[in-house]
Amino acid sequence: MALSDNPYINSLPGEEIGDLNASKGWSPPAPATSRDRGTGPYKRLVLRGATIIDGTGAPPWGPADIVVEQDRIVATIGVGASLATINPKHRPAPGDHEIDCHGKFVLPGLVDSHAHIGTPYHSMCGDPPPADYIYKLWLAHGVTTVREMGGLNGLQFTLQQRDASARQEIAAPHIVAHAYFPAVNERVKTIYTPDQAREWVRKLKERGADGIKFFGAPPSIMKAALDEAAKLGLRSGCHHAQMAVTRVNALKSASWGLTSTEHYYGLPEALFEDQIVQDYPTDYNYFDEYFRFSLAGQMFLQAAQPGTSKWNDVLDQFLELGHTFVPTFNIYDANRDLMRARRADWHDAYTWRAIWKYFQPQRGGHGAYWYRWSTRNEVEWKQNYRLWMQFVNDYKNRGGRVCTGSDSGFIFQIFGFGLIRELELLQEAGFHPLEVMRAATSQGAELLGVGDETGSVEAGKRADLLVLDENPLDDFKLLYGTGAMRLNDDTGKVEWHRALRWTIKAGMVLDVDELLADVRTLVDQSWEGDPERPPNVR
């Protein structure tokens, strides 16, 4: 193909994937344009009597008063040995707004290190949800920072929303913008040489992007792009897609300076001992998503096993390189138990119409490959998870950085809920609940390059804070917008306990009840006039 035949060759850097989606008639979410929730920031906000879980892995401590001025934490002050021994003389002066946190817990805001502000793909099945739906779900689950990983709506969309969020013009998390690198044949390819790769990276930096999302690339091109990105201070992550992974696996890209490996593709290939290529059947077709995802569940079974010299050597090499893993366990969770994911409590009230329809089995819909999912597929994926989780836990135990990401909007995972499921799955992998919170806060902030700004509860940092009625370390289900099911022995009735009450983003206080109510209203409106609304999403 002549370059003149490529309709995206003149796309601005970072707009290629958005332009491709637009050419197919797929619409991005409507951007948020105003803010209808949140109060503050205040001249002086005081959170009184909290037990602090600071995000560093340190154990809880308190009671403490936390003083916030505008968007900054200025003090965390211990005020007693217990709620009963608080000494009023030790308490800081009153604020112009205060939150009673006696008996409550305060955490740093959560970081979703692999997120998407919706996807134009949803418009295949109707009107896509507005960005406001997505942002409110994130905030209602305590997510105050997201890394938009790939800019499926185009970089300009992401940058505009990032800047509006920074100015508190919209109710949205802080946004870190990574743009898609156009150098793979099966998506969008406009880069054909290492020099073009370097020029593209330089122009991306000029446009204001924070980083790059790779799906792979020819080795010389990817190596050049990563080298240029490092020179310019751009961070990077890669979904090592099957079409490119035989030439560049996760360990090779890490050795070239890749910041993080997304999901797990490329990792089993780095662990292969007696092969280079996955054991594909001869009738495999990558564009048939049943093949793509069912066979992906066999990869760790073909790789070096835990405790072998190869396993340990690969762990050590990643550790030496200072590499980060963002496993996104939750986004493939349905592969282990499709029925569980389809019947999740939150679909009833919180899943937007076009997203629900997009999730159903269909040809051509990414992640909608359920047209012949089987017991064997689920068993293989369960085995795959066992090995994958052990590698991630081993890496964490050696001092490697692991962060939380959700990749929601696909495969029966929706925004906010997906990240809380990720916390549960890290605990399943072997993480102590404090290690889980560390991965979701301070570790994520460090990965995104904002660790000096957020990720822990300490003076000098931005006031990205969560106020909870109950201790989330006891049960991460308490963080779901639907809460955790409990039996009240006094009444004999089932209750749903939800812990998160206020999300504070840069000093702006958001009422979680209001956010969730707004989302339920939006979802109901999305189904108006549709007789096909299934009973399980009423």
Side-chain angles (χ1 to χ4, degrees), residues 56-136:
T56 68
W61 68 280
D65 288 357
I66 304 168
V67 181
V68 175
E69 294 181 356
Q70 297 297 340
D71 67 341
R72 293 282 147 180
I73 302 169
V74 298
T76 57
I77 302 168
V79 294
S82 67
L83 293 177
T85 61
I86 291 176
N87 187 339
K89 295 180 180 179
H90 295 164
R91 309 200 88 158
D96 57 325
H97 186 77
E98 298 198 359
I99 298 177
D100 182 357
C101 295
H102 296 86
K104 300 183 188 296
F105 294 79
V106 171
L107 284 67
L110 305 181
V111 178
D112 191 333
S113 295
H114 190 120
H116 299 293
I117 306 172
T119 168
Y121 304 164
H122 292 154
S123 64
M124 295 169 61
C125 298
D127 293 332
D132 194 49
Y133 162 85
I134 298 161
Y135 297 150
K136 286 182 175 178

Side-chain angles (χ1 to χ4, degrees), residues 70 121 219 286 332 396 407 414 460 499:
Q70 297 297 340
Y121 304 164
Y286 180 70
Y332 306 109
K396 176 265 297 178
D407 199 19
I414 63 169

Side-chain angles (χ1 to χ4, degrees), residues 52-54 56-61 434 473:
I52 296 175
I53 302 172
D54 70 8
T56 68
W61 68 280
L434 283 169
L473 302 178

